[in-house]
Amino acid sequence: MASTQLTASSISGNGFASFEGLRSTCIVKTVSFAPLKHNNSRSFSRLVVKAATTVAPKYTTLKPLGDRVLVKIKTAEEKTVGGILLPVSVQSKPNGGEVVAVGEGHSAGKTKVDISVKTGAQVIYSKYAGTEVEFDGSKHLILKEDDIVGILETDDVKDLQPLNDRVLIKVAEAEEKTAGGLLLTEAAKEKPSIGTIIAVGPGPLDEEGNRKPLSVSPGNTVLYSKYAGSEFKGADGSDYITLRVSDVMAVLS
């Protein structure tokens, strides 16, 4: 009986922000009982799944409706920082881009609320949000404004401006030793769910369209849900995470 383990990890992109995105490790085990017979008549070189909706060239304008935003997706890096060409299978899929069109907003009670991001803004959005669209020769994403994590106009995630009820946290460093004084290897270090808040959003909207301030502020050390939010790597090598304030469980002092 033979088993095979495959792992995949994200790679930092260049030119937009120095972050890794969510790290994921996928383990696939295959068990073989007999040699596989090769059948030339039913062999496939590759399987291509096309998820994006292609808009015909005759349509020159795409206007989002309501609280939706159209984002031109940042192109995935084809090379590493050292210039090594990356195969498609390991190119990091970006989760950021430029806002190219916005909807008319939405209503909160009797108040009309405009979209808080403007065209031209560089934004980061939730990894699995929105609908991908092939439009005007480029890949775009139509998503709700609430799926935008924040605005990032520099190359460093520590400068992220969170939107709505989200916060940006600098993750505390993992413990180097056990309680008994034993040194831990990198693989054995448990990633903490404690960190310091770097920036907060303006707060969610109430029924009258007014912003409700968040219950935490920059400088607070907090305990947050272990599997919440989106993780990034800062230019200084530190780990950062963005999440909703409802995923913050306690303030430590």
Side-chain angles (χ1 to χ4, degrees):
M1 184 179 294
S3 64
T4 305
Q5 178 171 306
L6 306 176
T7 62
S9 59
S10 56
I11 296 177
S12 295
N14 247 352
F16 175 72
S18 178
F19 57 84
E20 293 181 346
L22 290 175
R23 299 176 181 172
S24 60
T25 301
C26 215
I27 299 178
V28 180
K29 290 189 177 180
T30 60
V31 179
S32 59
F33 297 94
L36 295 176
K37 295 180 180 180
H38 185 70
N39 188 341
N40 290 331
S41 63
R42 298 184 62 82
S43 63
F44 300 92
S45 59
R46 61 179 179 173
L47 177 63
V48 178
V49 179
K50 189 175 181 63
T53 300
T54 302
V55 178
K58 65 179 181 179
Y59 299 106
T60 58
T61 303
L62 199 162
K63 172 65 175 174
L65 297 178
D67 60 346
R68 290 178 174 82
V69 175
L70 180 66
V71 176
K72 184 176 181 181
I73 299 175
K74 173 183 173 288
T75 305
E77 293 295 328
E78 296 183 355
K79 294 183 180 180
T80 65
V81 177
I84 299 174
L85 191 64
L86 295 171
V88 174
S89 59
V90 298
Q91 288 177 18
S92 58
K93 185 176 181 180
N95 60 336
E98 179 184 351
V99 175
V100 294
V102 299
E104 66 273 15
H106 66 283
S107 297
K110 297 181 179 180
T111 305
K112 184 179 180 301
V113 181
D114 294 329
I115 301 290
S116 60
V117 293
K118 307 299 181 184
T119 57
Q122 299 290 333
V123 298
I124 293 176
Y125 48 82
S126 299
K127 192 174 182 67
Y128 301 107
T131 300
E132 195 170 297
V133 177
E134 191 87 29
F135 174 68
D136 196 26
S138 300
K139 287 186 177 181
H140 293 72
L141 195 71
I142 297 180
L143 69 163
K144 288 182 174 292
E145 179 193 12
D146 190 53
D147 288 322
I148 296 178
V149 173
I151 299 173
L152 183 61
E153 300 289 359
T154 72
D155 290 335
D156 196 345
V157 71
K158 72 177 179 59
D159 298 322
L160 179 73
Q161 304 169 34
L163 294 181
N164 298 318
D165 61 341
R166 288 183 171 87
V167 298
L168 173 66
I169 295 174
K170 184 177 182 180
V171 180
E173 294 184 4
E175 292 294 332
E176 300 284 342
K177 296 181 180 180
T178 65
L182 295 177
L183 284 174
L184 295 172
T185 63
E186 288 297 325
K189 291 178 183 177
E190 183 177 356
K191 193 165 189 180
S193 52
I194 295 174
T196 302
I197 293 181
I198 303 300
V200 300
L205 293 169
D206 61 20
E207 295 179 355
E208 297 180 353
N210 299 315
R211 293 283 180 184
K212 296 164 54 179
L214 301 184
S215 57
V216 295
S217 56
N220 287 157
T221 299
V222 295
L223 175 69
Y224 55 87
S225 299
K226 194 173 185 65
Y227 300 105
S230 300
E231 298 174 346
F232 304 102
K233 181 73 73 174
D236 59 354
S238 300
D239 292 321
Y240 293 83
I241 187 170
T242 59
L243 40 77
R244 295 186 185 275
V245 72
S246 57
D247 291 316
V248 176
M249 298 185 292
V251 176
L252 304 176
S253 61

